[in-house]
Amino acid sequence: MLSQPQPLYEQIKLHVLERIADGTFRPGAKIPSENQLAAELGSSRLTAHRALRELTVSGVLQRIAGVGTFVAPPRASSTFVLLHNIADDIRNRGEVLSIRVHAVEQTSVPPDIAQRMGTRARVPVFHSLIVYCANGSPVQLEDRFVSPVFAPGYLNQNFTSYSTTDYLQSIALPTRTENEIQAVLPTAKEAQLLELNESDPCLVVTRKTWVGDDVTTFTRFIHPGTRHTFITRDSR
């Protein structure tokens, strides 16, 4: 993780993004002007202008000449099917795979995850936090919750040698998946594990898998936006 202080324009971007995330600035709402942001955060107007310009280019804001700057409406969601194993992706590109295991543990399922997995809050669940690297550079942080009923031996695996996907698919392939993809900023911990600044955008795939009628895993895959590209192909 970089220890140098962030430039002022990055701090202003982060301030605006945090206000959007906590609901202070809602979609369609007008945000403070460059002069107001500069005065509030102790920067020049040109610095504030750069921050808002970059957020506009990235699609977070919309600027209307002579009117002001507004929070862009949410992007429409689309059906998106993505089944890939990051370890296979790295190997297939001829790069060196390394796996950093930060946690493999039994924990109480958090309420929000319990709701997504269709179980009661606080029941035991397996959790892993793992970073996959290509040629030593982190390209994916995997934050995974696993049903102990589906994979009772999960905690005993050596995930520095093979991916969690390798192991889980050796038990049974998913019969159904649900995927979401979003562009977000990493949390402080995610940025540290991925060796990013907190203002660096990431692509996040959230995936829920079933085998039969049972939810087996719920996972967030966080990818540094500058180090990862998704490609889809069809056979037609």
Side-chain angles (χ1 to χ4, degrees), residues 79-84 115-118 144 150 168-169 172-180 206-219 221:
T79 300
F80 184 84
V81 176
L82 178 68
L83 282 174
H84 79 133
Q115 183 178 14
R116 300 293 292 267
M117 295 184 73
R144 189 188 290 273
F150 173 68
L168 293 169
Q169 291 189 355
L173 292 174
T175 56
R176 182 159 65 101
T177 66
E178 179 181 279
N179 300 278
E180 300 173 6
T206 303
R207 177 180 302 151
K208 181 162 60 172
T209 63
W210 287 258
V211 173
D213 294 330
D214 299 322
V215 176
T216 54
T217 67
F218 179 82
T219 314
F221 302 96

Side-chain angles (χ1 to χ4, degrees), residues 27-71:
K30 186 176 181 180
I31 71 168
S33 67
E34 294 170 0
N35 288 332
Q36 289 172 315
L37 285 172
E40 179 182 353
L41 300 174
S43 74
S44 69
R45 188 191 66 81
L46 287 176
T47 299
H49 174 79
R50 175 176 177 177
L52 297 189
R53 185 185 72 240
E54 291 190 5
L55 288 174
T56 301
V57 169
S58 66
V60 174
L61 301 177
Q62 292 179 332
R63 309 193 78 177
I64 302 176
V67 179
T69 303
F70 301 82
V71 179

Side-chain angles (χ1 to χ4, degrees), residues 6 99 235:
Q6 290 181 329
I99 304 174
S235 58

Side-chain angles (χ1 to χ4, degrees), residues 174-192:
T175 56
R176 182 159 65 101
T177 66
E178 179 181 279
N179 300 278
E180 300 173 6
I181 186 168
Q182 295 175 304
V184 303
L185 291 177
T187 65
K189 182 174 184 179
E190 290 166 352
Q192 179 182 15

Side-chain angles (χ1 to χ4, degrees), residues 9 89 91 100 121 150 158 186 192:
Y9 75 91
D89 292 346
R91 297 184 192 109
R100 303 172 185 173
F150 173 68
N158 179 11
Q192 179 182 15

Side-chain angles (χ1 to χ4, degrees), residues 7-195:
L8 272 175
Y9 75 91
E10 291 284 3
Q11 295 179 37
I12 294 172
K13 288 168 63 177
L14 186 58
H15 170 80
V16 172
L17 288 164
E18 287 175 343
R19 298 293 79 76
I20 293 173
D22 67 19
T24 302
F25 301 155
R26 296 186 177 277
K30 186 176 181 180
I31 71 168
S33 67
E34 294 170 0
N35 288 332
Q36 289 172 315
L37 285 172
E40 179 182 353
L41 300 174
S43 74
S44 69
R45 188 191 66 81
L46 287 176
T47 299
H49 174 79
R50 175 176 177 177
L52 297 189
R53 185 185 72 240
E54 291 190 5
L55 288 174
T56 301
V57 169
S58 66
V60 174
L61 301 177
Q62 292 179 332
R63 309 193 78 177
I64 302 176
V67 179
T69 303
F70 301 82
V71 179
R75 297 177 183 175
S77 60
S78 302
T79 300
F80 184 84
V81 176
L82 178 68
L83 282 174
H84 79 133
N85 181 348
I86 188 67
D88 288 340
D89 292 346
I90 294 170
R91 297 184 192 109
N92 291 339
R93 293 196 299 266
E95 298 172 326
V96 177
L97 168 69
S98 56
I99 304 174
R100 303 172 185 173
V101 178
H102 293 277
V104 179
E105 60 192 356
Q106 179 174 302
T107 188
S108 297
V109 62
D112 58 325
I113 304 299
Q115 183 178 14
R116 300 293 292 267
M117 295 184 73
T119 188
R120 300 190 314 277
R122 309 302 178 191
V123 301
V125 69
F126 295 154
H127 173 247
S128 57
L129 190 65
I130 296 174
V131 175
Y132 296 89
C133 302
N135 294 336
S137 180
V139 293
Q140 179 180 278
L141 170 60
E142 177 192 273
D143 188 0
R144 189 188 290 273
F145 292 87
V146 178
S147 165
V149 175
F150 173 68
Y154 192 78
L155 300 184
N156 299 323
Q157 304 308 307
N158 179 11
F159 290 126
T160 61
S161 300
Y162 46 86
S163 72
T164 59
T165 300
D166 288 328
Y167 173 66
L168 293 169
Q169 291 189 355
S170 73
I171 300 173
L173 292 174
T175 56
R176 182 159 65 101
T177 66
E178 179 181 279
N179 300 278
E180 300 173 6
I181 186 168
Q182 295 175 304
V184 303
L185 291 177
T187 65
K189 182 174 184 179
E190 290 166 352
Q192 179 182 15
L193 294 177
L194 287 168
E195 300 175 2

